[in-house]
Structures are given as C-alpha cells and as structure tokens.
Amino acid sequence: MPKLSQYEIEREENIKRNSALLDALGIQKVHPKEVPKPKKAVPPKKRKAEVDENNDASAGSPPKIARTTSSDQPLSGARRSARNAGKKVDYKAEQIRVIPVPISTRNKAGNAGPLGSGASGRKIVKFGSIPDIEVGTWWQTREDCSNDSIHAPWVGGISGSKHKGAYSIALSGGYDDDVDLGYGFTFTGAGGRDLKGTKTKPKNLRTAPQSCDQTFENNGNAALKKSSETGKPVRVIRGFKNKSEFAPSEGYRYDGLYTVEKAWMEKGLNPGGFLVCKFAFKRIADQPPLPVRDLDAEAAVKNQAKDGGNDAQNDEESDEDEDEDEDEDDDEDEDADADGEAEAEIEGEEPEEQG
DNA sequence: GGGCCCGCAGGG
DNA sequence: CCCTGCGGGCCC
C-alpha cells in the first residue's frame, strides 16, 4: 500500500474527528438497507406533467406533498427480481435504479414559472418548507433551484442573515473532510478565501482556495451559528459535486429540513491549516426518505463500460461475490414503499417576510 | 480538463 | 453602491 499523502492523512483525521462528533450528537449513518430505494427512474416528461397537476391541485391545498417514489405508476422495474431470475444482471437498469431519482424534474425548458414563488411572482423568503416544492425536487442548475425559492444564492453555499439565521444551505462538495451521513452531516462554513482574481481582472473570482482563517463574523457562518441557537429549520440541497452516496449524480436536489445541532471551529483541510467554521446538521424526523446511491455498483458500471462492454458481459453475472454483504437486490425491497406518506409538515414558525 | 471570466442574489 | 459566494460556460 502506498503511503498516504499528508493531505490524506489530515483528511482521515478530520473525518474521524467529525464522525465522532456526529456520533456524540446521536447522528448515525442510516444504512442503505434501511432506506427505501427509489423504484426506477421515471421519464422526466411524465414527471413534469405530474408536477403540473400537483401545481394546479395545490390551488386549494396539496393533500399529499412529499412523495418520494412514484407509487402511482406500475413499473416494470418493480419486478426486477423476477426478471433477474433467468437473466443476467442488467447493469444499465441497475444504474438507473441506484441513481437518485429526480422526484420532480424541473428545469429551464419546462418551467411554466417558478412554483416556489408567491402569487406576486416574487421569491419566497422564509424558514422551513416552501409551498408546492416537495422534498426530493430536483433541478439542473443552482439558478433553477433559486427560482423556486429553495436556495436563493446562485453561488453561495449559505443563505440567511446573521440576525435571523440561515434559510438554506448547499451541500456541494468543496470540502473533502465534511462527513455526509445523509440524515446528518458536517458542513464547512464560508469565507477565508481570497477572491482576488487575476491582475487584469482583480476581485473577480467567485471561489478560491483557503488563504486565511474563517470567522463567525462572516454573514453565512453567523447565520448558521444563529440557527444553532434558535433551532429553526434549514433547507438543505445536495449537489452533484458532493461525493457521498446521498448526493445526486447530477444537478441539485432538495433534501428537506435539518437543524443545526452544533457550531465550532477547527483546523480545516487546507495547505495552510487555516481555521474553518464547522456545523453539525441533523435531519428533522418524519420526512420522506433520502434516495441512496450504490456507488460501488456505479463504479462497476463504469468499469464495464471502459472495458469495452461486449465480451465482458458474461462475468457480470458471476461477479456477485463481490460485495454481497449489502443485501442485494434480487429479493424485494418493495416493502419499503409502504411508508411513503410519512410527510413532514414542519414549518418555520412565522412566515417571516422581509424586504 | 483546467483556467479565466461572467451574471446574479443577497446582506450591509 | 459595496462586498461576498461549495456556478457555469467558454476557450484553450
């Protein structure tokens, strides 16, 4: 085994420390086994229609928000077990299955106007959930997400003010020592970067390497610290740059409401060893389950594709001895869907408008 | 794939 | 207006 780089050593240390901290807060990783798996990817077209319906219906009040899986659609994929019985594993299908399913797919092309905006068309600024935006809603870009009032900034990871607290955050990778357990995670704050850009175009960067200590003076960090005191819910989106099994493979997904359990500072994972502000998040109970990816399976698919895919297909079948421990697919994971309607009506207390 | 530059949404 | 900021597109 090659010796670890200094970076990796520190990374391991930080992750260990953060994991222990999450554990101390009672935040445990939920094994994928215990989490309902998305049935199968649904053609975006279909989904969009559905969204529109919901939108219309919601004029009164949406009875069932927060559907995670498409229980209404009889999918052939649901009977995978039977299909697999006599066939080789179809990794294409497998990939589709394990990839986070966009619950409602909305993007520029299809948008008939932001759902998450009031009658006025203005974006909604409040704590907690946004009307008509279900947990699991997926967007192609941060801009689209912003238009639905879930996370306003196009670039920034934290939305909120130091006086009121944080409205939302984006978990989008960027800090390799953050630990994402799905139902809880650690998050690194903002600041400590020198956005100086090039000589000709000074101060023209949107992001840059860590170059000094972060502080809680930073608006975003202060907002999150405030949230840790008030206990108000924070909307969380996960982005494709996040490497965890809970991240979408592409685009951005709204994963519901979390609370900030703790705020602290520690030496960050950067060459200078600069301090960063860190936060521990915990998912509020009774929300739709998170989609979980099977990263190993995806890697296998990738490898297969790289190997040229044709002749290799035979042994796909037999490679089942690889990582069987994780329950495997061939039996039904259907049981899971039963609880689809655990919906969370958690809201921020007050609408808290603000101009 | 990496570097550069850009528009934009906040908060102060 | 000033500043920031876990995007994104384009060009190389």
Side-chain angles (χ1 to χ4, degrees), chain A residues 40-119:
Chain A
K40 185 173 181 182
V42 178
K45 283 265 163 64
K46 195 87 178 208
R47 305 301 305 168
K48 213 182 307 169
E50 189 174 313
V51 169
D52 290 345
E53 281 176 20
N54 284 349
N55 199 14
D56 289 343
S58 71
S61 80
K64 292 187 181 78
I65 329 171
R67 247 169 336 153
T68 339
T69 54
S70 54
S71 50
D72 47 307
Q73 308 213 5
L75 292 177
S76 55
R79 289 279 77 88
R80 276 181 58 264
S81 45
R83 221 186 54 218
N84 285 347
K87 289 192 163 195
K88 36 185 138 178
V89 177
D90 180 0
Y91 273 96
K92 276 285 203 307
E94 186 68 13
Q95 185 179 33
I96 290 175
R97 181 180 72 82
V98 297
I99 277 184
V101 181
I103 303 306
S104 22
T105 300
R106 313 187 60 242
N107 52 36
K108 287 177 188 169
N111 263 352
L115 284 181
S117 50

Side-chain angles (χ1 to χ4, degrees), chain A residues 196-217:
Chain A
K196 66 172 172 300
T198 60
K199 289 169 190 164
T200 56
K201 307 281 182 185
K203 291 290 182 186
N204 206 21
L205 294 180
R206 299 296 176 268
T207 183
Q210 212 78 32
S211 62
C212 60
D213 291 345
Q214 292 185 357
T215 74
F216 285 108
E217 297 299 302

Side-chain angles (χ1 to χ4, degrees), chain A residues 253-282:
Chain A
R253 189 187 63 224
Y254 172 47
D255 279 345
L257 303 178
Y258 289 68
T259 52
V260 184
E261 300 292 303
K262 188 179 173 68
W264 73 100
M265 292 192 78
E266 67 178 36
K267 188 177 151 195
L269 186 63
N270 54 65
F274 297 110
L275 294 176
V276 294
C277 299
K278 299 214 67 159
F279 307 88
F281 283 71
K282 183 178 185 178

Side-chain angles (χ1 to χ4, degrees), chain A residues 54-310:
Chain A
N54 284 349
N55 199 14
D56 289 343
S58 71
S61 80
K64 292 187 181 78
I65 329 171
R67 247 169 336 153
T68 339
T69 54
S70 54
S71 50
D72 47 307
Q73 308 213 5
L75 292 177
S76 55
R79 289 279 77 88
R80 276 181 58 264
S81 45
R83 221 186 54 218
N84 285 347
K87 289 192 163 195
K88 36 185 138 178
V89 177
D90 180 0
Y91 273 96
K92 276 285 203 307
E94 186 68 13
Q95 185 179 33
I96 290 175
R97 181 180 72 82
V98 297
I99 277 184
V101 181
I103 303 306
S104 22
T105 300
R106 313 187 60 242
N107 52 36
K108 287 177 188 169
N111 263 352
L115 284 181
S117 50
S120 62
R122 287 177 51 82
K123 285 182 191 172
I124 298 171
V125 180
K126 69 186 279 288
F127 292 100
S129 59
I130 301 295
D132 297 339
I133 306 297
E134 302 175 10
V135 172
T137 298
W138 179 91
W139 304 267
Q140 180 70 50
T141 68
R142 286 277 298 264
E143 178 184 358
D144 295 327
C145 176
S146 176
N147 287 337
D148 279 348
S149 302
I150 290 294
H151 185 65
W154 286 26
V155 178
I158 308 166
S159 170
S161 78
K162 64 177 64 175
H163 306 295
K164 292 169 174 286
Y167 298 116
S168 57
I169 65 156
L171 257 162
S172 202
Y175 294 92
D176 276 346
D177 54 348
D178 279 336
V179 178
D180 187 2
L181 302 182
Y183 292 77
F185 56 86
T186 61
F187 181 82
T188 303
R193 296 174 168 179
D194 189 6
L195 306 176
K196 66 172 172 300
T198 60
K199 289 169 190 164
T200 56
K201 307 281 182 185
K203 291 290 182 186
N204 206 21
L205 294 180
R206 299 296 176 268
T207 183
Q210 212 78 32
S211 62
C212 60
D213 291 345
Q214 292 185 357
T215 74
F216 285 108
E217 297 299 302
N218 174 283
N219 184 64
N221 297 342
L224 285 175
K225 188 174 172 63
K226 184 75 174 177
S227 291
S228 73
E229 295 160 2
T230 66
K232 292 201 177 213
V234 179
R235 293 185 297 273
V236 171
I237 64 170
R238 281 187 172 82
F240 67 98
K241 288 179 185 173
N242 195 348
K243 294 308 177 199
S244 93
E245 61 192 323
F246 298 98
S249 60
E250 104 184 78
Y252 299 85
R253 189 187 63 224
Y254 172 47
D255 279 345
L257 303 178
Y258 289 68
T259 52
V260 184
E261 300 292 303
K262 188 179 173 68
W264 73 100
M265 292 192 78
E266 67 178 36
K267 188 177 151 195
L269 186 63
N270 54 65
F274 297 110
L275 294 176
V276 294
C277 299
K278 299 214 67 159
F279 307 88
F281 283 71
K282 183 178 185 178
R283 197 169 196 246
I284 295 177
D286 298 326
Q287 297 184 83
L290 292 174
V292 184
R293 285 159 70 190
D294 186 338
L295 297 179
D296 290 337
E298 289 182 27
V301 172
K302 225 184 222 171
N303 285 338
Q304 174 196 341
K306 215 186 298 182
D307 292 346
N310 265 354

Side-chain angles (χ1 to χ4, degrees), chain A residues 88-89 91 304 307 309-322:
Chain A
K88 36 185 138 178
V89 177
Y91 273 96
Q304 174 196 341
D307 292 346
N310 265 354
D311 41 356
Q313 275 184 0
N314 307 352
D315 45 69
E316 252 58 296
E317 175 106 59
S318 54
D319 70 346
E320 26 135 356
D321 45 10
E322 274 183 1

